[in-house]
Amino acid sequence: MATKFKVYVIRPVRNFVIYHFLHSIFILGRLTPRRPLLWWHGLLATPVYYSLPKIRKVIEHNLTIAFGTEKQKGEYDEIGRRMFISLAKTFTDYALFWKMKTREQFSRYFKFEGEENLRAAYQKGKGVLCLVTHTPGWEFSAFMPPVLGYKSMGVSSRIKNPALDKLMISLRETRGMANITRDHCYNTLVERLKKGECLIIMIDQDSKNIRGEFLQFFGHEAYTPIGCARLAMDTGAPIVPMYTIRNNADNTYIFKMLPEIPFEIKATYLETIRYNTQKHNDAIEQIIREHPEQWVWMHERWKTTPEILRRHLEGKRIAKEQQQEELSLKH
């Protein structure tokens, strides 16, 4: 009874409140001058950061894994705090900029560096794998290629809140980015890449529900999605790393498009996938090392271990067998 009440009453009400709260920020943001709004949200970010001990613990843990003795422990707290400020201000700008769709409009606040790298890859006609890093401006990074005029698509999992999911998809599609649902989409991605489209792809977060390999990231094993390397292998699409950084001093952004990462064929398919995915991890790590306060350290990047993955896969196998058994009994 309690479960049904949660599913049919609590969850819909919660989804309604969250959606309309976020949507109201988008609307009200246009009625408030940008500078005082950014100042206020930046000011709020610090007490919010210090009021979240669990998140601060995750951030400190991740920074310790990544940098060890390279940095003093006191620096970790400052990196986390500055990242929170960037996150707060970037979300504010995302709400303020929700009507912007063109290069000219975004050029008021964005500088574009390295577009020659994206252009050269795009002109090969094999599609482009846009390897995006999760800086606070990752959503800007995701739709900036279509804003710049490159036909693009992105893959996303459904948000549990249907109305919010629809809103986020709409905001991407109005900027020219086709949204593709993650479920069973690989063949669709291959087909569209071969037609020359860009694919926005992110591999710097932990997910045991995506095919991956345990590879080095900041000197430690991290379960890393291999989809980017697989797609490059199957289509010949070049891989171009890109990311957005925020300058809190003048409230501007830089969208950087780095040189293509060469793809190398090894003795076996698995060696090829592992070797190239490791190169992708290395490129992302270098970006983070250059801008440590610009990566979302609250994500548990090293959470999945080989043992956790084995248990997860075994659980999925058992659940599938039970489902098949129930279907056979029905028939």
Side-chain angles (χ1 to χ4, degrees):
M1 187 68 182
T3 302
K4 287 184 177 181
F5 183 76
K6 181 178 179 181
V7 171
Y8 295 109
V9 179
I10 295 179
R11 186 176 296 169
V13 171
R14 182 187 62 195
N15 288 346
F16 179 87
V17 171
I18 291 173
Y19 168 77
H20 285 283
F21 171 72
L22 292 175
H23 197 264
S24 69
I25 294 176
F26 280 48
I27 301 299
L28 292 174
R30 294 180 59 80
L31 304 176
T32 309
R34 179 175 180 251
R35 185 171 295 180
L37 198 61
L38 289 174
W39 174 83
W40 176 239
H41 287 178
L43 190 67
L44 286 176
T46 295
V48 169
Y49 170 70
Y50 284 114
S51 70
L52 300 170
K54 289 184 179 179
I55 289 179
R56 285 170 54 212
K57 187 175 181 180
V58 171
I59 291 172
E60 182 178 330
H61 174 72
N62 287 337
L63 284 164
T64 301
I65 291 175
F67 295 109
T69 57
E70 291 180 38
K71 297 183 181 294
Q72 298 295 319
K73 193 170 182 179
E75 292 181 77
Y76 298 157
D77 203 46
E78 181 61 13
I79 289 172
R81 188 184 71 84
R82 289 169 65 186
M83 183 272 294
F84 245 66
I85 291 173
S86 288
L87 199 61
K89 290 186 174 183
T90 302
F91 178 79
T92 302
D93 275 335
Y94 188 66
L96 293 174
F97 298 166
W98 74 296
K99 288 283 189 180
M100 292 186 185
K101 298 177 183 179
T102 67
R103 178 197 291 257
E104 290 71 24
Q105 289 171 325
F106 279 103
S107 292
R108 294 176 57 192
Y109 306 102
F110 281 75
K111 292 180 181 178
F112 307 112
E113 293 187 1
E115 188 179 353
E116 66 276 7
N117 297 315
L118 177 56
R119 186 184 304 113
Y122 191 76
Q123 289 174 347
K124 292 181 180 182
K126 298 181 179 180
V128 182
L129 290 158
C130 300
L131 188 62
V132 171
T133 305
H134 274 94
T135 60
W138 79 82
E139 193 68 31
F140 286 130
S141 298
F143 63 67
M144 207 52 72
V147 166
L148 295 178
Y150 303 89
K151 191 171 183 180
S152 305
M153 56 180 162
V155 179
S156 65
S157 299
R158 288 189 178 89
I159 300 173
K160 291 182 179 179
N161 185 327
L164 185 58
D165 186 59
K166 186 177 180 180
L167 173 64
M168 295 304 294
I169 291 173
S170 173
L171 288 171
R172 293 166 188 155
E173 290 182 339
T174 57
R175 273 70 177 253
M177 187 177 82
N179 189 84
I180 298 174
T181 304
R182 187 180 298 279
D183 301 334
H184 309 295
C185 68
Y186 190 82
N187 290 337
T188 300
L189 301 181
V190 169
E191 181 181 328
R192 295 183 70 148
L193 280 167
K194 287 182 176 179
K195 291 179 180 178
E197 294 187 37
C198 293
L199 170 63
I200 311 303
I201 190 165
M202 305 179 189
I203 66 167
D204 60 340
Q205 290 198 336
D206 180 282
S207 177
K208 57 182 179 291
N209 292 314
I210 299 175
R211 288 181 63 180
E213 291 285 331
F214 287 97
L215 299 168
Q216 292 295 302
F217 192 58
F218 283 92
H220 298 269
E221 279 196 343
Y223 190 62
T224 306
I226 59 174
C228 187
R230 288 182 64 212
L231 287 164
M233 182 78 169
D234 292 343
T235 66
I239 300 155
V240 178
M242 53 189 67
Y243 62 101
T244 298
I245 55 173
R246 189 178 205 287
N247 183 354
N248 286 321
D250 64 1
N251 293 318
T252 61
Y253 298 86
I254 301 175
F255 178 56
K256 293 194 175 187
M257 295 152 276
L258 302 181
E260 174 188 342
I261 301 175
F263 192 86
E264 298 184 38
I265 303 295
K266 296 300 177 182
T268 67
Y269 183 83
L270 181 58
E271 284 181 71
T272 300
I273 295 301
R274 286 181 57 86
Y275 178 82
N276 286 282
T277 304
Q278 182 61 63
K279 288 174 67 177
H280 305 160
N281 264 1
D282 294 343
I284 293 168
E285 179 180 326
Q286 182 59 37
I287 291 169
I288 298 168
R289 285 185 177 277
E290 291 175 6
H291 310 282
E293 76 287 351
Q294 297 271 346
W295 195 59
V296 287
W297 292 101
M298 73 278 284
H299 173 74
E300 296 183 278
R301 181 65 186 90
W302 291 271
K303 182 178 181 179
T304 297
T305 64
E307 179 56 33
I308 288 174
L309 183 63
R310 278 194 295 270
R311 291 200 304 265
H312 173 70
L313 294 176
E314 179 64 14
K316 286 182 69 175
R317 185 189 65 78
I318 292 171
K320 186 176 181 179
E321 289 178 355
Q322 290 175 342
Q323 187 179 35
Q324 290 174 340
E325 185 178 345
E326 289 173 1
L327 286 172
S328 65
L329 290 171
K330 287 180 180 179
H331 295 290

